[in-house]
Amino acid sequence: EADIYQTPRYLVIGTGKKITLECSQTMGHDKMYWYQQDPGMELHLIHYSYGVNSTEKGDLSSESTVSRIRTEHFPLTLESARPSHTSQYLCASCPGDEQFFGPGTRLTVL
Amino acid sequence: QKEVEQNSGPLSVPEGAIASLNCTYSDRGSQSFFWYRQYSGKSPELIMSIYSNGDKEDGRFTAQLNKASQYVSLLIRDSQPSDSATYLCAVKLPTDKLIFGTGTRLQVFP
């Protein structure tokens, strides 16, 4: 298993604000992922990274950006939040084949 | 055709019964298969991984894989109300991408 931390767990913010969702893991995993999931709906991959300075967009078009400056840290940033960004954001890391998820950040944009 | 297909349910079973969850996939080159459990409002939790044809048992859970039929299933024996959740099937493609199904909602009633 992996220890994956996400902060904040809940965030309510106004339209137009810049936000950064934090994700960190302590196991030294190279592969990390960001998913977006609306309640009762399927997971959508929005970004992934296979190591430091490596980031790729996922299947779902997203206005967010990510960075991977350190192995343990994979933050996701929204430059200007909108109500359509309201969702649950899940971070995962992968030591090999199996992905392990963090607790998620539930974002509400008013 | 979706890459990973699951019946959305709900699948309702009485306490103590065997719950059978099914998943089909389209890419014959897939080699790694996973089952996740997701409680409402929580993040997915890995419960089983399977790589070879046949059965793999872990406690009350048994994963079954049939690559010829492109079919993977999860059996939950002695189902408990605490097993009520959405079960996600995930398949790793030869491209290293992990594809999640939409999930099957399981309800275990007392």
Side-chain angles (χ1 to χ4, degrees):
Chain A
E1 285 202 24
D3 292 328
I4 304 171
Y5 307 97
Q6 290 188 245
T7 57
R9 293 291 310 280
Y10 303 91
L11 179 61
V12 180
I13 202 162
T15 296
K17 300 292 186 183
K18 178 180 178 179
I19 58 172
T20 296
L21 307 184
E22 302 288 349
C23 175
S24 60
Q25 48 94 5
T26 59
M27 302 301 288
H29 297 164
D30 285 327
K31 298 179 183 178
M32 295 187 74
Y33 305 83
W34 275 104
Y35 292 87
Q36 185 175 342
Q37 186 182 36
D38 294 327
M41 304 298 285
E42 61 192 290
L43 287 161
H44 292 286
L45 179 67
I46 51 174
H47 296 284
Y48 62 98
S49 168
Y50 283 174
V52 170
N53 294 325
S54 154
T55 61
E56 301 287 344
K57 287 186 180 294
D59 301 321
L60 181 67
S61 175
S62 173
E63 294 163 347
S64 58
T65 59
V66 292
S67 63
R68 191 85 184 276
I69 298 172
R70 301 198 318 264
T71 298
E72 62 271 22
H73 197 213
F74 190 37
L76 180 144
T77 298
L78 277 165
E79 290 293 332
S80 179
R82 294 210 300 267
S84 60
H85 296 140
T86 294
S87 190
Q88 168 138 294
Y89 292 83
L90 295 162
C91 181
S93 76
C94 180
D97 269 346
E98 300 168 337
Q99 287 190 20
F100 297 96
F101 286 84
T105 294
R106 187 167 297 280
L107 173 66
T108 302
V109 184
L110 303 176
Chain B
Q1 181 187 7
K2 281 191 171 183
E3 291 172 295
V4 178
E5 296 212 51
Q6 295 181 257
N7 188 317
S8 62
L11 172 66
S12 292
V13 300
E15 185 174 357
I18 296 175
S20 177
L21 303 158
N22 304 314
C23 172
T24 57
Y25 61 94
S26 59
D27 193 322
R28 284 195 170 275
S30 302
Q31 296 294 325
S32 307
F33 308 87
F34 309 92
W35 283 100
Y36 287 81
R37 177 176 61 200
Q38 187 174 25
Y39 292 112
S40 181
K42 303 294 185 183
S43 60
E45 173 193 6
L46 179 67
I47 53 174
M48 290 286 284
S49 56
I50 186 166
Y51 303 94
S52 306
N53 276 329
D55 294 359
K56 179 182 178 183
E57 187 175 316
D58 184 359
R60 294 187 296 114
F61 299 100
T62 299
Q64 299 176 318
L65 175 61
N66 184 327
K67 291 183 180 178
S69 301
Q70 294 173 244
Y71 178 94
V72 57
S73 64
L74 180 71
L75 302 178
I76 306 175
R77 288 184 299 282
D78 188 23
S79 295
Q80 301 297 309
S82 59
D83 294 326
S84 297
T86 296
Y87 289 80
L88 304 173
C89 172
V91 176
K92 192 158 196 173
L93 302 183
T95 56
D96 201 41
K97 182 186 287 189
L98 187 65
I99 304 295
F100 286 87
T102 54
T104 298
R105 189 157 60 96
L106 173 66
Q107 295 177 335
V108 181
F109 56 92

